[in-house]
Amino acid sequence: MIDVHYWPTPNGWKVTIMLEECGLPYTIVPVDIALGDQFKPEFLRLSPNNRMPAIVDHEPLGGGAPLAMFESGAILEYLAEKTGKFLPREPRERYKVLQWVHWQMANLGPMMGNANHFKSYGKRLTDDPKQLEYGTKRFVGEVDRLLGVMDAQLSANRYLAGEDYTIADIITWPWAMLASRLIDENVWEGFPHVKRWVDEIRARPAVEKGFKVGLEWRDRKQSPEEEEQARKVLFNQTNESARAAREAAAKATR
Ligand SMILES: N[C@@H](CCC(=O)N[C@@H](CS)C(=O)NCC(=O)O)C(=O)O
């Protein structure tokens, strides 16, 4: 059994979709990132970067004690290795896939996250729209460029790494499919091949199932106090605050 420390966000969906695609049983452990669960001692022991997702595999590849892991890219690569699915073994084909996995982890995910920060969350953090202008332009511009890179690749290939569906698609889909919501509702007009790929993957039953895990938690209306708490937790993190959480975690385990 695999525990998935999870909240329904794009980085979380990567893992639930992969587990559904592989047919592996799993248990969800909710990490409410708005309430600060990512700083709890028991979670920091698994994920020292205080971000979800993280997993604990109780029957790990290679045997031995339960294996804990954070970072969605590492988790998907591990699950692919464990099941022999969605990542070819032959080196040339394997690295074709891994280069797109790393492309997503270093590019599309962080740029979309930052574009969303400036475009949506930013309004909750400042009353001065001028403060948001440069960041919005920079990150929305980068997302636009990255969608163009994907569109060119998908104009010549059914999937990101070629003709087969792989972890490169599973890891990229949860961010890419949000582009019309996070960036612009007409975004697909400029990227028809990405749109074709988004729709094709959306139709997979495992994707539908993985995407729905805990989705209702997102609709829960926050009280004004909870909103204030979420603002503090999510947007005021510093080395100081993270260190305080680490020290509290270390104390709790002594
Ligand atoms: N590179 C990490 C990113 C994980 C990440 O940013 N997770 C977000 C939610 S999508 C999170 O836990 N945020 C909590 C916070 O900002 O405090 C991964 O792919 O696993």
Side-chain angles (χ1 to χ4, degrees):
M1 184 60 82
I2 296 178
D3 299 336
V4 186
H5 295 255
Y6 168 90
W7 198 248
T9 73
N11 290 317
W13 293 325
K14 296 169 180 176
V15 178
T16 47
I17 290 173
M18 177 67 176
L19 288 161
E20 291 293 341
E21 290 283 13
C22 294
L24 285 172
Y26 59 97
T27 305
I28 291 289
V29 184
V31 181
D32 188 336
I33 56 176
L35 295 184
D37 287 354
Q38 68 274 38
F39 290 103
K40 288 190 171 157
E42 58 275 25
F43 183 70
L44 279 178
R45 274 198 295 277
L46 308 174
S47 181
N49 192 36
N50 56 264
R51 296 282 187 274
M52 71 90 222
I55 62 164
V56 179
D57 187 351
H58 294 274
E59 288 143 283
L61 185 64
L67 177 73
M69 193 179 299
F70 66 103
E71 280 295 329
S72 58
I75 295 171
L76 260 66
E77 201 176 326
Y78 170 77
L79 294 173
E81 195 78 57
K82 180 174 168 126
T83 57
K85 290 181 175 165
F86 308 114
L87 178 62
R89 290 203 190 283
E90 194 275 313
R92 188 177 295 261
E93 292 305 310
R94 187 178 187 83
Y95 285 99
K96 254 194 215 168
V97 174
L98 289 176
Q99 69 190 352
W100 283 101
V101 168
H102 287 275
W103 175 85
Q104 187 287 318
M105 292 299 297
N107 294 274
L108 192 69
M111 294 305 143
M112 281 196 82
N114 280 314
N116 189 36
H117 177 90
F118 282 95
K119 265 186 81 96
S120 342
Y121 290 122
K123 290 187 206 112
R124 292 203 243 152
L125 303 173
T126 173
D127 295 329
D128 177 6
K130 280 227 157 319
Q131 286 194 0
L132 304 173
E133 261 169 32
Y134 180 77
T136 307
K137 185 165 176 289
R138 161 73 187 160
F139 292 114
V140 171
E142 265 298 281
V143 170
D144 196 52
R145 181 185 71 79
L146 292 165
L147 289 173
V149 171
M150 268 184 89
D151 205 63
Q153 177 70 1
L154 290 168
S155 71
N157 299 277
R158 181 167 176 197
Y159 295 108
L160 276 175
E163 292 314 296
D164 295 325
Y165 177 68
T166 67
I167 56 169
D169 303 290
I170 297 174
I171 211 157
T172 306
W173 184 83
W175 279 111
M177 64 102 178
L178 284 179
S180 54
R181 234 183 64 202
L182 301 188
I183 307 299
D184 184 317
E185 59 182 327
N186 300 317
V187 75
W188 301 133
E189 285 169 17
F191 307 109
H193 303 287
V194 181
K195 169 78 169 118
R196 182 265 304 155
W197 170 93
V198 162
D199 290 346
E200 189 176 326
I201 294 177
R202 183 81 171 85
R204 295 177 69 92
V207 172
E208 176 73 7
K209 253 182 120 180
F211 173 60
K212 287 220 166 118
V213 175
L215 209 52
E216 67 284 2
W217 305 335
R218 288 172 72 106
D219 298 334
R220 194 175 64 83
K221 189 110 189 73
Q222 287 180 328
S223 66
E225 294 75 32
E226 283 173 329
E227 252 187 57
E228 182 52 31
Q229 157 85 347
R231 205 190 336 258
K232 275 198 197 133
V233 169
L234 288 172
F235 306 121
N236 289 298
Q237 295 178 18
T238 59
N239 179 34
E240 214 42 55
S241 63
R243 186 168 47 211
R246 275 197 299 277
E247 284 170 4
K251 233 189 215 161
T253 49
R254 261 183 234 137

